[in-house]
Amino acid sequence: MKGNEMFTGVVFRLGPLEVTGTVVTTWVIVALLGLGAWLITRRLQTDRPGRIQTLAEGIISAAEAAIRAVAPDHVRLLLPFITTLWIFIVIANLVGLIPGLHSPTRDLSATSALALLVFFSVHWFGIRDQGLKNYLRHYLSPTPLMLPFHIISEISRTIALAVRLFGNILSLETAALLILIVAGFLAPIPILMLHIIEALVQAYIFGMLALIYVAGGLQSQQLRQQLGQTQTDNNKENSGE
């Protein structure tokens, strides 16, 4: 496979379906995450937790704090989805460090799937929390004329999520490859550290944007109520004058 491919090559076929290297790598990551979660949670210790359990609890606590800062009323609702998304993207970004493998997130099809997952999750959580009618009403606020702009915003931010992660990871791996070709293996450690830091940063950005989008959908009803209450208070003040 060429290093600058947007879509990795086909590994095997299942009838008319083509299974690419990105799909296979993603399956392996998902399987390892599931196995790791089962191994960590099957023997939890409350009095003397081991190192792995302590690390897992630290990751959950950090994700919980980040969610509470953005959506304090929906921490338990969003914690499984956002934490899983973060962990998956971190591992997917770091897979490129393994010789012979490429990060699934350097494939536009993979990042598009993640962006679509966020897109549908925004509406799923919003409808689940507010009901279909109340949730859809915010697309007509403050006036029905805003409906086309709301739709364009939803589509554009989804495309931006996919392209941003894809472009950053692809450029990171390409730059690392070029440096290794030019400088050989004289500077592998700085390149390795750069890859790790950038992988963590890109995963954090994607996860935070997903969290903000989902929280925005959940809080749309609350924001409308606050605006309505503010308008009522202003009307009372004006009538009192």
Side-chain angles (χ1 to χ4, degrees):
M1 291 181 291
K2 297 180 181 180
N4 59 352
E5 281 184 311
M6 294 174 61
F7 302 94
T8 56
V10 177
V11 177
F12 61 91
R13 300 177 185 272
L14 292 175
L17 298 178
E18 296 181 344
V19 180
T20 65
T22 297
V23 175
V24 174
T25 306
T26 302
W27 286 347
V28 173
I29 294 174
V30 172
L32 291 177
L33 285 177
L35 178 61
W38 178 74
L39 291 174
I40 293 174
T41 58
R42 67 172 185 157
R43 293 182 179 179
L44 295 177
Q45 301 291 331
T46 57
D47 50 351
R48 299 181 62 182
R51 294 181 179 180
I52 297 179
Q53 181 179 337
T54 302
L55 176 62
E57 291 177 353
I59 294 174
I60 298 299
S61 297
E64 184 178 1
I67 297 172
R68 181 173 286 107
V70 178
D73 298 329
H74 303 92
V75 176
R76 296 189 64 182
L77 179 64
L78 300 181
L79 183 62
F81 172 66
I82 297 298
T83 305
T84 303
L85 187 64
W86 259 325
I87 294 174
F88 174 82
I89 296 177
V90 166
I91 296 176
N93 290 350
L94 293 175
V95 163
L97 295 174
I98 301 176
L101 296 180
H102 293 293
S103 300
T105 46
R106 61 163 288 178
D107 190 332
L108 187 57
S109 62
T111 58
S112 298
L114 290 171
L116 286 174
L117 177 63
V118 174
F119 172 81
F120 288 114
S121 296
V122 170
H123 305 303
W124 163 254
F125 284 115
I127 294 172
R128 178 180 177 181
D129 184 66
Q130 303 170 26
L132 179 61
K133 183 178 180 180
N134 289 332
Y135 176 74
L136 293 179
R137 191 179 300 166
H138 88 273
Y139 285 101
L140 304 177
S141 300
T143 171
L145 296 176
M146 294 298 296
L147 177 60
F149 299 98
H150 284 303
I151 296 176
I152 293 173
S153 175
E154 294 279 351
I155 296 174
S156 61
R157 74 185 187 183
T158 302
I159 296 175
L161 268 181
V163 174
R164 179 187 294 108
L165 183 59
F166 155 72
N168 284 316
I169 299 302
L170 177 62
S171 61
L172 177 64
E173 289 196 356
T174 303
L177 178 62
L178 292 176
I179 293 175
L180 286 175
I181 292 175
V182 174
F185 292 91
L186 298 178
I189 295 179
I191 296 174
L192 178 65
M193 295 303 299
L194 175 64
H195 197 129
I196 293 175
I197 293 173
E198 184 67 15
L200 296 176
V201 169
Q202 293 305 320
Y204 175 79
I205 293 175
F206 191 99
M208 282 302 300
L209 289 174
L211 173 58
I212 291 171
Y213 296 157
V214 173
L218 287 170
Q219 296 173 1
S220 58
Q221 177 70 13
Q222 179 181 354
L223 292 175
R224 286 198 303 273
Q225 293 175 352
Q226 292 176 352
L227 291 174
Q229 184 63 38
T230 302
Q231 184 65 35
T232 302
D233 295 340
N234 291 336
N235 292 337
K236 289 181 179 179
E237 292 178 0
N238 294 332
S239 61
E241 293 177 356

